[in-house]
């Protein structure tokens, strides 16, 4: 009898703890980035450096038709509810088109739809292409406490479906934004084209494979342009550096724009034509959050399609809040 009473008492304690934990969890925003408690917004300069030289990657190095080069960069700042691409998962149609042909329209549409449906996107950013394997290009991006992650892709040109990029890099560290970081980049195969060499003809992979990292031994085939069996790891083919801008730098172009001639990037900041901010349509309203029988709040968002430049019109507010009555109250 005493054992039964002790068991019942233990069940009540466990149940109380579970209710408390679930109640606390339900009050938290969705996503791993919900712990970001940094200042409202942060702006970064992002500098992409191509390191694809004939010295570092001599095998089948493309010298003409076309020579080694990099596509434009397409990136997004977002929450953990959105993913542009992930290693060992299938590439979306947009990533496939970008990796194979450098076409960004489908990928842009996918980003826009994700931003409108699940409020997961803060802004899109892009940087000009580089017309050689080595060089620099740069732009600026903006992150928000609810959208502290950065993802981007840059196509390796020429190639079947190879690219470099970053997947969901978190720039927030608790209550502050990272000041500066650099990341070495290595080639990835989008899993949509079966070519082994930089100049392989288009030959679709059927069925589609997942996104995989290309290494010095994988694919394990001597025809592979990155096959260097005597190496332990490939040297970085590119690098990206992100530097947090101070408030007095916000209206200036990103650093590293005045680079040596070998950078070959198009410097948009030289133009004196003002470029106004462009934003998306409002998303649908989110869920109503609040206590039962009390007025709650719901939020809708929009995201930046084009950052302003040259003293163009700044961006308007990207989120809007309104009162509501919580649903499904007991």
């Amino acid at each position: 009898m005493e054992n039964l009473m002790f068991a019942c008492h233990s069940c009540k304690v466990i149940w109380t703890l579970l209710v408390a934990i679930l109640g606390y969890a339900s009050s938290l925003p969705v996503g791993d980035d919900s712990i970001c408690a940094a200042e409202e917004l942060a702006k970064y300069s992002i500098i992409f450096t191509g390191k694809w030289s004939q010295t570092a990657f001599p095998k089948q190095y493309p010298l003409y038709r076309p020579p080694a080069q990099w596509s434009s960069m397409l990136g997004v700042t977002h929450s953990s509810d959105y993913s542009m691409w992930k290693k060992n998962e299938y590439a979306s149609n947009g990533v496939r088109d970008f990796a194979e042909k450098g076409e960004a329209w489908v990928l842009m549409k996918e980003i826009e739809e994700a931003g409108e449906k699940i409020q997961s996107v803060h802004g899109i950013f892009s940087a000009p292409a580089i017309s050689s394997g080595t060089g620099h290009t740069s732009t600026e991006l903006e992150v928000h406490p609810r959208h502290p992650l950065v993802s981007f892709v840059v196509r390796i040109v020429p190639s079947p479906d190879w690219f470099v990029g970053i997947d969901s890099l978190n720039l927030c560290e608790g209550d502050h934004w990272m000041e500066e970081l650099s990341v070495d980049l290595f080639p990835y195969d989008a899993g949509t084209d079966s070519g082994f060499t930089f100049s392989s003809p288009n030959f679709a992979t059927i069925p589609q494979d997942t996104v995989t990292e290309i290494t010095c031994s994988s694919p394990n085939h001597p025809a592979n342009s990155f096959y260097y069996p005597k190496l332990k790891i490939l040297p970085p083919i590119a690098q990206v550096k992100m530097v947090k801008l101070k408030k007095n730098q916000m209206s200036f172009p990103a650093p590293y724009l005045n680079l040596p001639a070998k950078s070959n990037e198009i410097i948009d900041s030289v133009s004196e034509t003002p470029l106004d901010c462009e934003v998306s349509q409002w998303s649908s309203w989110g869920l109503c959050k609040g206590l039962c029988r009390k007025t709650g709040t719901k939020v809708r968002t929009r995201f930046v399609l084009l950052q302003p430049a040259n003293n163009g019109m700044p961006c308007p507010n990207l989120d809007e809040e309104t009162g509501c009555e919580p649903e499904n109250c007991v």
Side-chain angles (χ1 to χ4, degrees), residues 44-51 69-74 125-141 152-155 164 185 238-242 254-269:
Y44 284 82
S45 166
I46 178 169
I47 305 103
F48 177 88
T49 302
K51 295 187 174 185
Q69 57 191 277
W70 299 95
S71 77
S72 59
M73 172 192 290
L74 180 60
F125 59 91
S126 63
I130 305 173
S131 59
S132 64
T134 59
H136 308 268
T137 187
S138 62
T139 188
E140 293 179 357
L141 61 89
F152 72 82
V153 287
V154 180
R155 181 177 180 242
V164 297
L185 303 177
Q239 184 184 67
V240 67
K241 183 176 182 180
M242 283 174 261
Y256 289 72
L257 283 179
N258 294 321
L259 296 164
K262 70 174 185 177
S263 64
N264 296 312
E265 80 265 34
I266 301 169
I267 305 176
D268 293 333
S269 59

Side-chain angles (χ1 to χ4, degrees), residues 69-226:
Q69 57 191 277
W70 299 95
S71 77
S72 59
M73 172 192 290
L74 180 60
V76 61
T77 56
H78 60 95
S79 69
S80 60
D81 298 319
Y82 170 77
S83 174
M84 174 181 273
W85 66 275
K86 280 190 179 298
K87 182 179 177 181
N88 299 327
E89 294 189 7
Y90 292 104
S92 67
N93 290 336
V95 171
R96 178 200 65 204
D97 285 358
F98 191 87
E100 289 188 12
K101 298 173 284 187
E103 296 177 358
W105 299 113
V106 176
L107 183 53
M108 288 278 287
K109 187 65 176 176
E110 290 173 353
I111 296 170
E112 184 176 351
E113 289 176 352
E116 292 176 354
K117 288 181 180 178
I118 58 178
Q119 304 180 21
S120 60
V121 172
H122 178 74
I124 301 171
F125 59 91
S126 63
I130 305 173
S131 59
S132 64
T134 59
H136 308 268
T137 187
S138 62
T139 188
E140 293 179 357
L141 61 89
E142 191 176 69
V143 284
H144 184 277
R146 290 201 303 271
H147 307 88
L149 308 181
V150 175
S151 297
F152 72 82
V153 287
V154 180
R155 181 177 180 242
I156 298 173
V157 183
S159 74
D161 60 343
W162 301 342
F163 69 96
V164 297
I166 278 180
D167 165 38
S168 302
L169 176 65
N170 195 341
L171 295 180
C172 183
E173 292 185 316
D175 62 352
H176 66 279
W177 297 105
M178 300 177 70
E179 291 296 326
E180 181 178 316
L181 77 160
S182 296
V183 180
D184 288 332
L185 303 177
F186 300 89
Y188 281 90
D189 187 320
T192 61
D193 193 293
S194 297
F196 272 123
T197 67
F198 296 119
S199 57
S200 292
N202 184 28
F203 188 72
T205 301
I206 302 175
Q208 180 177 333
D209 203 352
T210 58
V211 175
T212 55
E213 184 176 354
I214 299 172
T215 71
C216 56
S217 58
S218 179
N220 188 11
H221 194 290
N224 176 20
S225 291
F226 287 110

